[in-house]
Amino acid sequence: MKEHLEKLDHLLKLITNKIEEAISKKQLIEIRNAYLSKKAEINTMLSILKSLTPEERSVFGQKINSVREHLFQLYEQKSNLIDRADLTDKLNKEQIDLSLPSVNYTSGGVNPVFLVRDEILNIFIEMGYEVKEGRDVESDYYNFELMNIPKNHPSRDMQDSFYFSESLLLRTHTSPAQARVMEEKKGELIKVVCPGKCYRRDNDDMTHSHQFMQIEGLLVGQNINLGHLKATLDLFIKKMFGPKREIRLVSSYFPFTEPSVEVEVSCAECDGQGCPTCKHTGYIEILGAGMVHPDVLKMSGYDPEIYSGFAFGIGVERVAMLRYQIDDIRRIYQNDVRFLKQFK
Ligand code: FA5
């Protein structure tokens, strides 16, 4: 027993000295491997406990544990000390020269579809509209039923869709936001624009993409008529494309508006005279609109005998194409840096 205790004292002194003398992390790791690892004597000596009497075991057990604890603590303290010294040394050596020229970096730009979305929203915000966002994943009920498009109605074919289940789909237009806003406002006057992505199983071509952006507009009040809609859109077009642009309303069909119109804007390329860009018609279609159908008002809790309103759905990519003379909608989504950096 005596010799074991002496051995412990010897190890305590030896390892303490080694740790104190160490001046680098490398030396410290070597000490750990040699004197503090599982196979080192300070740990293997624990096996002596088995051969001792209960009294000796208690004395030797306490001693070896306190020696080990002391050495591990010492090791940790020294390790922290060396880390700190290394860091100070590094900081002293690494001086920053603020007079050097900065590193060149490239920053991204905003995609034109977002530039145009914000431009359109700002025009309507100036006219007193509030911005409300709908949902990308919609239920059949909001996307179709509340828009007066019951199941099996042929007009569903106009918007072939991506379904998650029979009743859940990626919205095909921003019009369901109309129903959500009317539900929320319940009888109050409404003046909102609702931007968002839409998805359709359209074949991608120069003017169609399976994912595109729309801005829905909805105004509900009393004695609202088509004249209000035309004046609003005329102001929007003039602010967007300049005072010389004219609009014309072409009769159309949407199940959720009555009457319904397509809105065309006079071609900037030929000033309405006719050219290849406008397919020689002098006008280009950019949005659908109309007076909110009485059934849509009724389904969303507005009495059509008292309330009336107009709605429109602007295709943002189409506006961006006109604004920036983009010949093919697919360029907007192809992530070609040569195209995108023109909008920085
Ligand atoms: C609608 O989506 C109606 N919800 C718009 C509306 C709202 C009418 C409120 C009346 C009242 P339409 O399917 O025509 O209508 O789409 C509106 C606009 O979205 C189009 O004029 C076009 O600019 C754009 N658009 C439609 N499909 C695509 C597509 N696949 N790719 C790019 N733009 C598209």
Side-chain angles (χ1 to χ4, degrees), residues 173 175 200 202 209 212 214 216 254 256 285-286 313 315 318:
H173 53 169
S175 296
R200 289 184 199 173
D202 276 342
S209 167
F212 55 99
Q214 285 188 342
E216 190 79 10
F254 297 104
F256 35 93
E285 178 225 315
I286 55 161
R318 301 273 176 89

Side-chain angles (χ1 to χ4, degrees), residues 15 19 22 36 41 49 69 72 74 89 108 130 154 158 161 222 224 230 237 242 272 288 292 316 326:
I15 302 171
I19 292 177
L36 299 173
E41 215 172 354
L49 286 169
E69 207 171 296
F72 283 121
L74 204 65
D89 200 37
E130 190 187 343
M158 283 159 41
S161 328
Q222 288 180 25
I224 306 297
K230 188 172 181 199
I237 292 296
V292 182
V316 183
I326 300 170

Side-chain angles (χ1 to χ4, degrees), residues 224-240:
I224 306 297
N225 60 48
L226 202 62
H228 296 121
L229 170 63
K230 188 172 181 199
T232 303
L233 293 176
D234 192 47
L235 184 59
F236 157 62
I237 292 296
K238 287 190 163 56
K239 289 210 171 206
M240 191 76 210

Side-chain angles (χ1 to χ4, degrees), residues 252-289:
S252 183
Y253 169 75
F254 297 104
F256 35 93
T257 45
E258 183 59 39
S260 302
V261 290
E262 300 279 3
V263 178
E264 299 183 347
V265 56
S266 62
C267 178
E269 201 70 21
C270 60
D271 231 355
Q273 299 308 303
C275 71
T277 306
C278 57
K279 297 188 186 118
H280 302 284
T281 61
Y283 284 84
I284 296 171
E285 178 225 315
I286 55 161
L287 61 96

